[in-house]
Amino acid sequence: MTAQKEYARPTTQGPNEREARKVAEAARQTEWTKPSFGKELFLGRLRLDLVDPWPTPSPEARAKGEAFLARAAELTERIDGRRIEREARIYDELFGELADLGAFGMKIPEAYGGQGLSNLYYNKALALIASGNPSLGALLSAHQSIGVPQPVKMFGTEEQKKRFLPRLAAGEVSAFLLTEPDVGSDPARVATSATPDGEGYVLDGLKLWATNGTIAGLFVVMARVPATEGNRGGITAFVVEADSPGITVEARNSFLGLRGIENALIRFDGVRVPAENVLMGVGRGLKIALATLNTGRLSLPAMCVGGSKWCLNVARGWSAERVQWGRAVGAHEAVATKIAFIAGTTYALESMLDLCCMLADDETNDIRIEAALVKLYASEMAWKVADELIQIRGGRGYETADSLEARGERPAEVEQILRDMRINRIFEGSTEIMHLLIAREAVDTHLDVAGDIIDPDASKRAKAEAVARAAGFYAGWLPTLAVGAGFMPGAYREFGPLAEHVRFVERSSRRVAASIFAGMARWQGGMERRQAFLGRAVDIGAELFAMTACCVRAKAEAASDPTGVELADAFCEQARVRVDALFTALWHNSDTSDRKLARKVLEGRYTKLEDGVRHIREDLPWVAPWKLGPSTTPDVRRKLPKRG
Ligand SMILES: Cc1cc2nc3c(=O)[nH]c(=O)nc-3n(C[C@H](O)[C@H](O)[C@H](O)COP(=O)(O)OP(=O)(O)OC[C@H]3O[C@@H](n4cnc5c(N)ncnc54)[C@H](O)[C@@H]3O)c2cc1C
């Protein structure tokens, strides 16, 4: 058996790195009209006033939300999650029940037939329903966090809202189509074309991995309008009727987890879309996608919060009863630390999510950094929670629920939650991309004042002006990093036993800001390539945000529920250990040797190391080539029963 010969061969031509970055940069929302806790945190300023006191929903939002949650809880009790796993599909009747509940219109305003839930209650409902089976969370969030309702609500004209939203609120499913075989993390490569044809556009292309794609009635499709005289064209968002001639659902994809999702490969061949279905305007597609994700991104953490709560419940029940070596397994320290991790993390994830949701609801803060931080952090931490639960459950953690039940044991779907949770680190912005996206915002102020100094394209004059600007800014800013409330023993007294953690957050916020500045001074234009460094700086910010959310919430709830202070205290102890390790790793790491080693691995220097096992077949490419034109495969669309 020989090792493979070729590695990292580019599969197709596309925009180069610089062009790709330009596209992403153009789609970025650059203005900051509202204050941002996250942005300030990375500048070394702990702006507690932006998140403390803990926000509360309005009485109307609460009443509406609680009533919806009560009805959703009844439905969730009836969900046959195991049937969804066995049949690898969400059964027909459940779509009807979800529609009757109003689950497809949770985020749609009441004026258009929806439930008009706040972000807080929408995400609580998602977590609840997903506990019946995680594929249901994916169905509902792909439909309304990124699917048609959210961008139409945010950017649609009144006519578009009236035309689409009532259909969706009543239960018609929607999907979001950005990804293509050659377009994953890098949207600059979008190849699906939208050619103007007088009254509208003609779409041609292939879209991959569209969640809900086999059952949707409406799609949001990202396609590229060519530049013409007087029109710059660009990636554009279209609302497309799924039954338009020329659309073929070529395959239903299946995955490690989320066995029930209806995820599709979809071909567009000469699909006519009227001009009135363009959202916001030609060339605005990626801006729409990013803005939609600012709050849409909160639904994945909601699933992570729900998953962690479920894990905590199983961990507690099992660890207290299972006896080995004369004690309950939970009484052995090695297991106890895992239980503490699960409990502390669950409290932190819920606090971060609730805080972000309420900040989004009262619209006083810009939450784009916080939402990105909670997506990144929740997807990483909930995965660890599920992994630790498997370990606590021992062999039973690896066993399927059906197999456990066949022996008469409680059918905890622990192996399933691990499988289902894994995708959260990949979609709606992979961890690596979230690190870059947040890092870009974290260094935004530095680029604003000093960006031209390190921009190879900037003129001499622009560089000189940037040096002057930077000198002014840093003369005022750098001294603020040296001192702060975090060094004063009595500071943040109002947090009681949690005050020392808030002081730690304040000190660490200045330290991470100083570290980012030191990184910029050291690497200048090369900073953006220091992804490991930037990733750690962002991870520190995520831990600090999590600690802040816990402390502010625990303080607010202390009078009515003292357990919050205990959980927040325990979580902060854990987080501080991680933050200390991350600070150390900022400057003491194996990044340089890892980069070298990876390059040599890709060059094939160590292929001998791969000998001794059977290798993957080489007769097929890593990314399949495809051609435009009519489909040559049958349409595999799933028809849901018509509702009366
Ligand atoms: C179950 C499932 C459901 C999905 N649902 C939808 C959907 O409804 N609609 C839709 O449009 N898409 C959907 N997707 C696609 C999903 O959003 C993409 O998988 C995701 O964006 C990552 O793209 P990719 O898989 O092509 O990975 P690639 O972009 O090929 O990345 C491969 C690896 O390289 C890393 N990487 C890439 N670029 C960089 C960089 N610049 N710096 C550092 N690291 C980098 C990535 O993080 C990843 O680890 C779904 C995917 C799955 C599996």
PDB file of all heavy atoms in Angstrom, residues 102-119:
ATOM      1  N   GLY A 102     -47.427  27.221  15.060  1.00  0.00           N
ATOM      2  CA  GLY A 102     -46.909  28.525  14.605  1.00  0.00           C
ATOM      3  C   GLY A 102     -45.390  28.536  14.580  1.00  0.00           C
ATOM      4  O   GLY A 102     -44.764  29.598  14.511  1.00  0.00           O
ATOM      5  N   ALA A 103     -44.780  27.341  14.626  1.00  0.00           N
ATOM      6  CA  ALA A 103     -43.317  27.251  14.751  1.00  0.00           C
ATOM      7  C   ALA A 103     -42.585  27.769  13.519  1.00  0.00           C
ATOM      8  O   ALA A 103     -41.415  28.139  13.608  1.00  0.00           O
ATOM      9  CB  ALA A 103     -42.900  25.798  15.021  1.00  0.00           C
ATOM     10  N   PHE A 104     -43.268  27.798  12.362  1.00  0.00           N
ATOM     11  CA  PHE A 104     -42.599  28.308  11.165  1.00  0.00           C
ATOM     12  C   PHE A 104     -42.690  29.836  11.061  1.00  0.00           C
ATOM     13  O   PHE A 104     -42.106  30.436  10.169  1.00  0.00           O
ATOM     14  CB  PHE A 104     -43.185  27.653   9.903  1.00  0.00           C
ATOM     15  CG  PHE A 104     -42.894  26.170   9.837  1.00  0.00           C
ATOM     16  CD1 PHE A 104     -43.847  25.230  10.215  1.00  0.00           C
ATOM     17  CD2 PHE A 104     -41.647  25.735   9.434  1.00  0.00           C
ATOM     18  CE1 PHE A 104     -43.565  23.873  10.178  1.00  0.00           C
ATOM     19  CE2 PHE A 104     -41.351  24.374   9.385  1.00  0.00           C
ATOM     20  CZ  PHE A 104     -42.310  23.444   9.764  1.00  0.00           C
ATOM     21  N   GLY A 105     -43.442  30.419  11.991  1.00  0.00           N
ATOM     22  CA  GLY A 105     -43.587  31.873  11.950  1.00  0.00           C
ATOM     23  C   GLY A 105     -43.185  32.529  13.252  1.00  0.00           C
ATOM     24  O   GLY A 105     -43.620  33.635  13.553  1.00  0.00           O
ATOM     25  N   MET A 106     -42.327  31.843  14.021  1.00  0.00           N
ATOM     26  CA  MET A 106     -41.963  32.388  15.331  1.00  0.00           C
ATOM     27  C   MET A 106     -41.365  33.785  15.216  1.00  0.00           C
ATOM     28  O   MET A 106     -41.615  34.651  16.035  1.00  0.00           O
ATOM     29  CB  MET A 106     -40.960  31.459  16.043  1.00  0.00           C
ATOM     30  CG  MET A 106     -41.564  30.146  16.499  1.00  0.00           C
ATOM     31  SD  MET A 106     -40.437  29.202  17.534  1.00  0.00           S
ATOM     32  CE  MET A 106     -39.437  28.358  16.346  1.00  0.00           C
ATOM     33  N   LYS A 107     -40.554  33.985  14.168  1.00  0.00           N
ATOM     34  CA  LYS A 107     -39.860  35.279  14.034  1.00  0.00           C
ATOM     35  C   LYS A 107     -40.591  36.240  13.106  1.00  0.00           C
ATOM     36  O   LYS A 107     -40.121  37.337  12.860  1.00  0.00           O
ATOM     37  CB  LYS A 107     -38.447  35.044  13.499  1.00  0.00           C
ATOM     38  CG  LYS A 107     -37.476  34.624  14.565  1.00  0.00           C
ATOM     39  CD  LYS A 107     -36.052  34.803  14.095  1.00  0.00           C
ATOM     40  CE  LYS A 107     -35.440  36.041  14.700  1.00  0.00           C
ATOM     41  NZ  LYS A 107     -34.020  36.182  14.321  1.00  0.00           N
ATOM     42  N   ILE A 108     -41.719  35.783  12.544  1.00  0.00           N
ATOM     43  CA  ILE A 108     -42.453  36.638  11.600  1.00  0.00           C
ATOM     44  C   ILE A 108     -43.425  37.522  12.389  1.00  0.00           C
ATOM     45  O   ILE A 108     -44.126  37.038  13.281  1.00  0.00           O
ATOM     46  CB  ILE A 108     -43.192  35.764  10.558  1.00  0.00           C
ATOM     47  CG1 ILE A 108     -42.148  34.981   9.733  1.00  0.00           C
ATOM     48  CG2 ILE A 108     -44.105  36.605   9.670  1.00  0.00           C
ATOM     49  CD1 ILE A 108     -42.724  33.998   8.743  1.00  0.00           C
ATOM     50  N   PRO A 109     -43.469  38.835  12.091  1.00  0.00           N
ATOM     51  CA  PRO A 109     -44.376  39.722  12.837  1.00  0.00           C
ATOM     52  C   PRO A 109     -45.837  39.260  12.723  1.00  0.00           C
ATOM     53  O   PRO A 109     -46.241  38.684  11.702  1.00  0.00           O
ATOM     54  CB  PRO A 109     -44.181  41.077  12.156  1.00  0.00           C
ATOM     55  CG  PRO A 109     -42.867  40.991  11.463  1.00  0.00           C
ATOM     56  CD  PRO A 109     -42.671  39.562  11.091  1.00  0.00           C
ATOM     57  N   GLU A 110     -46.613  39.569  13.756  1.00  0.00           N
ATOM     58  CA  GLU A 110     -48.030  39.158  13.774  1.00  0.00           C
ATOM     59  C   GLU A 110     -48.792  39.759  12.595  1.00  0.00           C
ATOM     60  O   GLU A 110     -49.707  39.137  12.059  1.00  0.00           O
ATOM     61  CB  GLU A 110     -48.669  39.568  15.100  1.00  0.00           C
ATOM     62  CG  GLU A 110     -48.231  38.653  16.237  1.00  0.00           C
ATOM     63  CD  GLU A 110     -48.569  39.206  17.605  1.00  0.00           C
ATOM     64  OE1 GLU A 110     -48.153  40.343  17.905  1.00  0.00           O
ATOM     65  OE2 GLU A 110     -49.253  38.503  18.366  1.00  0.00           O
ATOM     66  N   ALA A 111     -48.386  40.965  12.178  1.00  0.00           N
ATOM     67  CA  ALA A 111     -49.083  41.624  11.062  1.00  0.00           C
ATOM     68  C   ALA A 111     -49.042  40.773   9.794  1.00  0.00           C
ATOM     69  O   ALA A 111     -49.877  40.938   8.901  1.00  0.00           O
ATOM     70  CB  ALA A 111     -48.445  42.976  10.787  1.00  0.00           C
ATOM     71  N   TYR A 112     -48.081  39.874   9.705  1.00  0.00           N
ATOM     72  CA  TYR A 112     -47.972  39.014   8.513  1.00  0.00           C
ATOM     73  C   TYR A 112     -48.312  37.565   8.859  1.00  0.00           C
ATOM     74  O   TYR A 112     -47.889  36.636   8.177  1.00  0.00           O
ATOM     75  CB  TYR A 112     -46.562  39.104   7.917  1.00  0.00           C
ATOM     76  CG  TYR A 112     -46.162  40.512   7.565  1.00  0.00           C
ATOM     77  CD1 TYR A 112     -45.342  41.251   8.415  1.00  0.00           C
ATOM     78  CD2 TYR A 112     -46.634  41.110   6.398  1.00  0.00           C
ATOM     79  CE1 TYR A 112     -44.991  42.562   8.108  1.00  0.00           C
ATOM     80  CE2 TYR A 112     -46.290  42.425   6.086  1.00  0.00           C
ATOM     81  CZ  TYR A 112     -45.478  43.131   6.943  1.00  0.00           C
ATOM     82  OH  TYR A 112     -45.141  44.434   6.635  1.00  0.00           O
ATOM     83  N   GLY A 113     -49.022  37.372   9.935  1.00  0.00           N
ATOM     84  CA  GLY A 113     -49.497  36.030  10.276  1.00  0.00           C
ATOM     85  C   GLY A 113     -48.586  35.238  11.189  1.00  0.00           C
ATOM     86  O   GLY A 113     -48.847  34.066  11.494  1.00  0.00           O
ATOM     87  N   GLY A 114     -47.489  35.840  11.638  1.00  0.00           N
ATOM     88  CA  GLY A 114     -46.542  35.104  12.475  1.00  0.00           C
ATOM     89  C   GLY A 114     -46.805  35.274  13.961  1.00  0.00           C
ATOM     90  O   GLY A 114     -47.799  35.885  14.365  1.00  0.00           O
ATOM     91  N   GLN A 115     -45.890  34.744  14.762  1.00  0.00           N
ATOM     92  CA  GLN A 115     -46.031  34.803  16.219  1.00  0.00           C
ATOM     93  C   GLN A 115     -45.412  36.075  16.795  1.00  0.00           C
ATOM     94  O   GLN A 115     -45.686  36.433  17.931  1.00  0.00           O
ATOM     95  CB  GLN A 115     -45.343  33.590  16.865  1.00  0.00           C
ATOM     96  CG  GLN A 115     -45.880  32.249  16.400  1.00  0.00           C
ATOM     97  CD  GLN A 115     -47.324  32.056  16.809  1.00  0.00           C
ATOM     98  OE1 GLN A 115     -47.698  32.380  17.941  1.00  0.00           O
ATOM     99  NE2 GLN A 115     -48.138  31.550  15.897  1.00  0.00           N
ATOM    100  N   GLY A 116     -44.495  36.689  16.042  1.00  0.00           N
ATOM    101  CA  GLY A 116     -43.855  37.927  16.509  1.00  0.00           C
ATOM    102  C   GLY A 116     -43.088  37.761  17.805  1.00  0.00           C
ATOM    103  O   GLY A 116     -43.084  38.654  18.647  1.00  0.00           O
ATOM    104  N   LEU A 117     -42.420  36.619  17.952  1.00  0.00           N
ATOM    105  CA  LEU A 117     -41.671  36.409  19.201  1.00  0.00           C
ATOM    106  C   LEU A 117     -40.403  37.263  19.208  1.00  0.00           C
ATOM    107  O   LEU A 117     -39.820  37.559  18.165  1.00  0.00           O
ATOM    108  CB  LEU A 117     -41.253  34.934  19.339  1.00  0.00           C
ATOM    109  CG  LEU A 117     -42.349  33.885  19.539  1.00  0.00           C
ATOM    110  CD1 LEU A 117     -41.713  32.531  19.837  1.00  0.00           C
ATOM    111  CD2 LEU A 117     -43.302  34.263  20.664  1.00  0.00           C
ATOM    112  N   SER A 118     -39.969  37.605  20.408  1.00  0.00           N
ATOM    113  CA  SER A 118     -38.689  38.308  20.548  1.00  0.00           C
ATOM    114  C   SER A 118     -37.567  37.306  20.268  1.00  0.00           C
ATOM    115  O   SER A 118     -37.792  36.087  20.236  1.00  0.00           O
ATOM    116  CB  SER A 118     -38.554  38.827  21.977  1.00  0.00           C
ATOM    117  OG  SER A 118     -38.561  37.714  22.869  1.00  0.00           O
ATOM    118  N   ASN A 119     -36.354  37.815  20.094  1.00  0.00           N
ATOM    119  CA  ASN A 119     -35.206  36.908  19.909  1.00  0.00           C
ATOM    120  C   ASN A 119     -35.063  35.970  21.096  1.00  0.00           C
ATOM    121  O   ASN A 119     -34.737  34.798  20.935  1.00  0.00           O
ATOM    122  CB  ASN A 119     -33.912  37.720  19.758  1.00  0.00           C
ATOM    123  CG  ASN A 119     -33.789  38.292  18.360  1.00  0.00           C
ATOM    124  OD1 ASN A 119     -33.651  37.547  17.393  1.00  0.00           O
ATOM    125  ND2 ASN A 119     -33.858  39.603  18.248  1.00  0.00           N
TER     126      ASN A 119
END
